[in-house]
């Protein structure tokens, strides 16, 4: 069974413990942990701020997005419907690795794109690809997106669960187990 830490935190506050420490707490309570799976976000994917959004001159569904990463400015061709001025979003410049592929500058419908704005799916933290991932407003431009996301997308995979413990077959039961181990209340 896979337990997303983001979901688990909705039911029990395990403090600032790392995913490995949470896995150890499960192990100490008799729930065997098989592995901790973390999404790998390239350190070259950084926080950018959207400065300007305007229509693409040669495509109805594309937009030209001007972003800032520190003092540097980039223009990106983007098809996401949710981009807006002022948002902090993940940006990958040419040379970054996205889903095992090295990103290169490209010309899209006659306009050069200096990089790529990324969805949660492209970052590998969820299956959501309905638009660009919007980061917290207090994220610092130029900061690694991996640092900003923290443990988002991290999953603890549990090994066999004994058939006499049906309470551990669901997230709420596992949250209660963790809360009992920590001597805290569940929400």
């Amino acid at each position: 069974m896979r337990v997303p830490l983001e979901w688990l935190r909705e039911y029990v506050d395990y403090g600032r413990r790392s995913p490995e420490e949470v896995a150890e707490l499960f192990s100490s309570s008799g729930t065997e942990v098989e592995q901790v799976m973390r999404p790998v976000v390239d350190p070259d994917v950084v926080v950018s701020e959207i400065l300007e959004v305007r229509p693409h001159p040669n495509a109805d569904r594309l937009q030209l997005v001007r972003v800032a990463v520190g003092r540097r400015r980039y223009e990106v061709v983007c098809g996401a419907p949710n981009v807006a001025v002022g948002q902090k979003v993940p940006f990958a410049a040419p040379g970054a690795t996205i889903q095992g592929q090295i990103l290169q500058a490209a010309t899209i419908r006659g306009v050069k794109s200096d990089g790529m704005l990324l969805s949660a799916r492209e970052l590998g933290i969820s299956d959501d690809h309905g638009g660009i991932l919007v980061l917290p407003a207090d994220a610092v431009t130029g900061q690694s997106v991996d640092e900003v996301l923290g443990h988002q997308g991290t999953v603890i995979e549990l090994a066999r669960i004994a058939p006499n413990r049906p309470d551990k077959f669901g997230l709420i039961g596992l949250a209660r187990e963790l809360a009992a181990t920590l001597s805290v209340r569940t929400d």
Side-chain angles (χ1 to χ4, degrees), residues 7-68:
W7 293 4
L8 189 63
R9 187 173 294 283
E10 291 179 22
Y11 295 100
V12 62
D13 180 15
Y14 51 83
R16 295 183 169 262
R17 290 175 177 81
S18 71
E20 289 74 21
E21 290 170 322
V22 174
E24 183 58 38
L25 289 169
F26 275 124
S27 293
S28 69
S29 71
T31 305
E32 187 179 343
V33 174
E34 197 163 301
Q35 66 179 330
V36 176
M37 299 181 299
R38 294 176 183 262
V40 179
V41 177
D42 188 307
D44 291 334
V45 176
V46 295
V47 176
S48 68
E49 181 174 359
I50 297 178
L51 301 175
E52 179 184 3
V53 179
R54 60 187 198 282
H56 190 292
N58 303 320
D60 293 337
R61 295 186 181 181
L62 297 177
Q63 301 174 73
L64 300 179
V65 181
R66 188 176 165 103
V67 298

Side-chain angles (χ1 to χ4, degrees), residues 1-172:
M1 178 174 177
R2 292 182 176 175
V3 182
L5 287 183
E6 295 167 65
W7 293 4
L8 189 63
R9 187 173 294 283
E10 291 179 22
Y11 295 100
V12 62
D13 180 15
Y14 51 83
R16 295 183 169 262
R17 290 175 177 81
S18 71
E20 289 74 21
E21 290 170 322
V22 174
E24 183 58 38
L25 289 169
F26 275 124
S27 293
S28 69
S29 71
T31 305
E32 187 179 343
V33 174
E34 197 163 301
Q35 66 179 330
V36 176
M37 299 181 299
R38 294 176 183 262
V40 179
V41 177
D42 188 307
D44 291 334
V45 176
V46 295
V47 176
S48 68
E49 181 174 359
I50 297 178
L51 301 175
E52 179 184 3
V53 179
R54 60 187 198 282
H56 190 292
N58 303 320
D60 293 337
R61 295 186 181 181
L62 297 177
Q63 301 174 73
L64 300 179
V65 181
R66 188 176 165 103
V67 298
V69 177
R71 292 185 176 157
R72 297 209 52 196
R73 305 291 187 258
Y74 298 90
E75 187 163 86
V76 178
V77 176
C78 181
N82 68 326
V83 294
V85 173
Q87 291 176 329
K88 303 281 181 82
V89 296
F91 170 75
T97 303
I98 307 300
Q99 297 180 343
Q101 300 285 326
I102 297 175
L103 186 66
Q104 297 178 5
T107 300
I108 302 171
R109 298 266 182 132
V111 177
K112 184 179 179 207
S113 183
D114 296 323
M116 183 175 178
L117 304 181
L118 305 166
S119 69
R121 183 180 193 181
E122 291 159 337
L123 288 169
I125 61 171
S126 84
D127 289 333
D128 182 14
H129 64 282
I132 299 304
L133 177 67
V134 179
L135 301 170
D138 62 349
V140 179
T141 63
Q143 181 181 16
S144 168
V145 169
D146 197 38
E147 291 175 23
V148 173
L149 295 177
H151 303 305
Q152 192 170 344
T154 300
V155 174
I156 296 176
E157 186 170 358
L158 303 177
R160 296 166 300 191
I161 296 176
N164 66 334
R165 292 299 308 267
D167 57 313
K168 292 186 180 185
F169 283 111
L171 185 63
I172 293 174

